[in-house]
């Protein structure tokens, strides 16, 4: 394998022409159209030792959402012999999107003849494919048989979508447009190929699901088994795009507010908790409520109400707009005030400086919370608070774990969604300690430039991010060269929470 050298394989002369100008150290090969021609060409491939291989060209759409000019990066290739996963392709998705191209990430099926028929394409879609070509699987199969397989990506640009056969006259301009798009992917291929290198990964532990998230997902799964579909969930059950998409596929409908749910249906309240008025509304609507509020969030609600019942004004240290903050503020409207940072703590007005208490959002950064609480204590020397810290164990442990690995990392990747508070705090911890950090939903959001020069990459996952996404990210790095994985454990977690009534037992 020759590090850095990129081999680009295309079937047709016009595709090859569109792919010129990729840049240094690139070899362009034409394998011919269809499996028979690819077989004739394979001996040439056997003589090449590229650092990375991209099979690129045009394709037909199988997923009805794909339009002419859309780019497809394969998660796997399929043919009659089976499926071959392509984890190395993931960062190419991020690189192409960064360049403004419309990119889909899914399986590509290779067939032995052009699939013109709409019904046949529907059958391919039924098997999970989103696009179809005639060469990729044969090329990829030859590469993965090597003792040392290079990173391989398959990237195709759609010419004919499902609803437009190749014989349609509109295919001519669509083809021209697809070739222009193909020309634009070249520089992205170069950036992607530069990822090929041995690498070290340092895993922070604990990472990924906490007890509250495990419980919330378990509650929804139990509700799906026990109650008629759809099961409704108010707001995202946990702040993670993959978890939400998976539950949607299984029969969950997510709503913002209860008025979107027909009377008498089942609704699950998310892990972030709700205000009492939401419970009242559910009772009026005769909804079957299952409460997935994390017990540690519910504890903060109880504290806040207790302080209010003692005549105190409660200051909630947290971030505006977060579901948990809305739920906590709603425990006693008008008697709980949000304080977001030290400057707000310095200026907040309360009815009586001696009758004040504070509570915290459970997913705050430890340092940011300490700064704001410090300002509150200076401002209100008699301020009351709970005996235990409101920032939950999972938030604390994941931040400490990141702080422990940062000295050994060039960059940190945090798996978590953009609306996940605890995940965003992990990025801030790493940045505060002086290394670049990036929040990603999955491996397909890793921009090659972030890690191309990094010898040691730190990886963690927020409390709402599935562990499987970490495994997939490791598979992606493994596909680019020898990978050393070291896990740094700062503590272990064994907390679990019981299920609530309605799904328990
Ligand atoms: S992050 Fe903490 S408060 Fe939030 S669900 Fe997990 S354990 Fe509960």
């Amino acid at each position: 394998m020759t590090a850095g050298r990129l081999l680009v394989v295309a079937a047709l002369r016009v595709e090859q022409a569109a792919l010129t100008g990729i840049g240094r150290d690139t070899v362009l090969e034409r394998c011919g159209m269809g499996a028979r021609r690819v077989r004739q060409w394979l001996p040439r491939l056997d003589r090449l030792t590229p650092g990375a291989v991209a099979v690129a060209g045009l394709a037909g759409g199988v997923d009805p959402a794909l339009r002419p000019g859309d780019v497809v990066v394969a998660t796997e290739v399929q043919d009659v012999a089976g499926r071959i996963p392509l984890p190395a392709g993931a960062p190419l998705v991020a690189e192409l999107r960064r360049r403004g191209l419309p990119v889909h990430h899914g399986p590509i099926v290779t067939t032995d003849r052009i699939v013109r028929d709409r019904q046949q394409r529907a059958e391919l879609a039924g098997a999970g494919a989103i696009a179809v070509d005639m060469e990729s699987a044969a090329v990829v199969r030859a590469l993965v048989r090597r003792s040392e397989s290079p990173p391989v990506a398959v990237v195709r640009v759609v010419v004919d979508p499902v609803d437009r056969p190749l014989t349609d006259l509109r295919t001519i301009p669509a083809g021209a447009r697809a070739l222009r798009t193909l020309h634009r992917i070249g520089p992205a291929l170069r950036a992607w190929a530069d990822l090929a290198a041995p690498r070290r990964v340092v895993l922070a532990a604990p990472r990924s699901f906490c007890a509250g998230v495990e419980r919330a997902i378990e509650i929804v799964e139990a509700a799906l088994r026990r109650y008629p579909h759809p099961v409704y969930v108010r707001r995202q059950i946990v702040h993670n795009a993959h978890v939400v998409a998976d539950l949607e596929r299984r029969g969950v409908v997510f709503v913002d507010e209860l008025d979107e749910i027909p009377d008498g249906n089942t609704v699950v309240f998310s892990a972030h908790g709700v205000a009492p008025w939401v419970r009242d509304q559910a009772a009026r609507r005769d909804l079957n409520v299952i409460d997935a509020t994390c017990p540690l969030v519910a504890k903060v609600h109880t504290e806040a109400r207790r302080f209010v019942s003692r005549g105190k004004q409660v200051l909630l240290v947290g971030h505006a707009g977060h579901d948990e903050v809305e739920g906590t503020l709603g425990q006693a409207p008008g008697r709980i005030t949000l304080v977001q940072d030290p400057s707000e703590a310095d200026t907040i007005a309360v009815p009586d400086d001696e009758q004040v208490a504070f509570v915290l959002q459970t997913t705050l950064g430890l340092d940011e919370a300490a700064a704001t609480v410090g300002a509150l204590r200076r401002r209100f020397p008699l301020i009351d608070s709970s005996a235990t810290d409101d920032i939950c164990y999972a938030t604390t442990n994941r931040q400490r774990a990141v702080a422990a690995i940062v000295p050994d990392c060039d960059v940190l990747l945090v798996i978590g969604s953009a609306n996940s508070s605890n995940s965003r705090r992990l990025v801030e911890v790493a940045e505060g300690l002086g290394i670049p950090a990036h929040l990603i939903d999955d491996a397909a959001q890793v921009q090659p430039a972030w890690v191309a020069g990094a010898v040691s990459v730190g990886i963690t996952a927020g409390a709402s991010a599935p562990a499987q996404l970490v495994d997939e990210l490791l598979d992606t790095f493994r596909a680019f060269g020898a990978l050393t994985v070291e896990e740094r454990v700062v503590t272990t977690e064994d907390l679990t929470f019981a299920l609530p009534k309605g799904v328990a037992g």
Side-chain angles (χ1 to χ4, degrees):
M1 201 159 77
T2 310
R5 179 167 297 161
L6 169 63
L7 169 65
V8 180
V9 181
L12 304 174
R13 202 178 294 276
V14 285
E15 293 168 332
Q16 198 178 24
L19 287 160
T20 52
I22 293 173
R24 66 182 157 77
D25 227 1
T26 302
V27 176
L28 261 172
E29 278 281 324
R30 186 155 52 86
C31 65
M33 184 173 168
R36 191 174 59 81
R37 291 223 165 81
V38 172
R39 276 196 297 277
Q40 290 167 352
W41 168 81
L42 284 179
R44 265 186 75 80
L45 178 64
D46 289 341
R47 290 194 291 276
L48 299 169
T49 53
V53 180
V55 183
L58 306 176
V62 168
D63 180 339
L66 265 56
R67 306 312 305 161
D70 283 1
V71 182
V72 180
V73 175
T75 51
E76 63 178 27
V77 285
Q78 310 173 347
D79 63 6
V80 287
R83 300 161 180 258
I84 307 171
L86 292 171
L92 186 55
V93 176
E95 185 62 22
L96 290 165
R97 286 192 179 137
R98 191 179 73 78
R99 293 164 186 269
L101 289 166
V103 187
H104 303 258
H105 195 207
I108 292 181
V109 62
T110 297
T111 56
D112 56 4
R113 59 178 63 89
I114 296 174
V115 181
R116 295 189 169 86
D117 182 60
R118 207 170 163 156
Q119 176 58 32
Q120 284 177 317
R121 290 206 188 184
E123 284 166 19
L124 296 176
I130 66 169
V132 57
D133 69 18
M134 291 178 61
E135 302 85 18
S136 296
V139 178
V140 171
R141 207 169 282 288
L143 288 164
V144 298
R145 270 201 293 263
R146 291 184 175 188
S147 58
E148 203 183 335
S149 173
V152 184
V154 172
V155 54
R156 297 279 181 176
V157 182
V158 174
V159 176
D160 48 320
V162 176
D163 58 359
R164 192 184 300 170
L166 273 172
T167 47
D168 190 308
L169 277 180
R170 288 173 295 174
T171 301
I172 296 170
R177 185 163 146 213
L179 288 170
R180 282 197 299 275
T181 304
L182 200 56
H183 183 64
R184 287 178 62 197
I185 73 171
L189 292 178
R190 182 67 262 167
W192 167 81
D194 286 342
L195 280 178
R199 201 165 269 112
R200 173 186 183 223
V201 160
V202 187
L203 288 173
R207 61 181 178 275
S208 199
F209 284 176
C210 61
V213 165
E214 297 246 24
R215 174 179 179 267
I217 295 170
E218 219 178 306
I219 287 170
V220 177
E221 288 174 338
L224 282 170
R225 286 193 299 274
R226 192 171 290 198
Y227 298 107
H229 291 195
V231 165
Y232 292 87
V233 176
R234 182 184 181 272
R235 310 282 171 91
Q236 291 191 351
I237 183 70
V238 299
H239 286 157
N240 185 269
H242 283 270
V243 171
V244 167
D246 177 53
L247 291 173
E248 275 177 334
R249 275 192 294 272
R250 292 157 67 185
V252 170
V253 173
F254 290 90
V255 296
D256 278 335
E257 294 303 345
L258 300 187
D259 53 18
E260 297 167 55
I261 305 173
D263 288 0
N265 276 267
T266 296
V267 62
V268 180
F269 291 157
S270 81
H272 310 102
V274 297
W277 69 263
V278 178
R279 294 182 196 283
D280 295 343
Q281 188 188 18
R284 283 197 302 277
R285 300 281 316 287
D286 196 26
L287 297 175
N288 172 34
V289 171
I290 304 164
D291 190 357
T293 302
C294 175
L296 301 182
V297 174
K299 176 177 98 59
V300 176
H301 291 179
T302 306
E303 278 168 9
R305 289 195 304 266
R306 186 168 55 86
F307 287 132
V308 169
S309 70
R310 290 189 200 158
K312 295 186 188 287
Q313 183 71 25
V314 176
L315 302 178
L316 166 61
V317 181
H319 296 288
H322 191 275
D323 288 340
E324 181 187 324
V325 166
E326 282 183 24
T328 305
L329 288 172
Q331 298 304 309
R335 301 292 303 280
I336 306 176
T337 312
L338 183 62
V339 177
Q340 297 194 76
D341 53 41
S343 67
E344 287 189 8
D346 287 340
T347 54
I348 191 92
V350 295
D352 181 346
D353 281 10
E354 296 188 353
Q355 292 298 323
V356 190
F358 73 83
V359 294
L360 306 176
Q361 183 180 343
T362 57
T363 51
L364 290 182
L366 300 174
D367 291 345
E368 65 166 335
T372 307
V373 167
L376 287 174
R377 289 195 188 285
R378 282 192 297 279
R379 176 89 192 283
F380 308 109
L382 297 178
I383 196 165
D384 208 346
S385 66
S386 76
T388 57
D389 201 345
D390 295 330
I391 297 178
C392 81
Y393 80 99
T395 299
T396 306
N397 290 345
R398 279 151 192 70
Q399 290 179 23
R400 283 181 49 219
V402 163
I405 66 167
V406 159
D408 290 330
C409 300
D410 300 312
V411 60
L412 179 75
L413 299 177
V414 179
I415 300 180
S417 289
N419 60 346
S420 164
S421 172
N422 81 85
S423 303
R424 284 164 55 186
R425 302 294 84 80
L426 298 177
V427 170
E428 289 168 5
V429 168
E431 288 175 340
L433 292 170
I435 66 165
H438 305 279
L439 185 62
I440 52 169
D441 265 310
D442 50 39
Q445 290 188 351
V446 176
Q447 292 185 17
W450 295 343
V451 287
V455 174
S456 181
V457 178
I459 295 178
T460 188
S464 47
Q468 176 203 336
L469 299 173
V470 176
D471 295 340
E472 288 173 7
L473 183 56
L474 290 176
D475 286 345
T476 291
F477 282 127
R478 222 168 257 127
F480 282 97
L483 191 71
T484 311
V485 181
E486 180 192 330
E487 186 175 57
R488 203 74 59 77
V489 184
V490 296
T491 187
T492 53
E493 297 174 343
D494 53 12
L495 187 66
T496 55
F497 296 126
L499 297 184
K501 70 175 175 24
V503 289

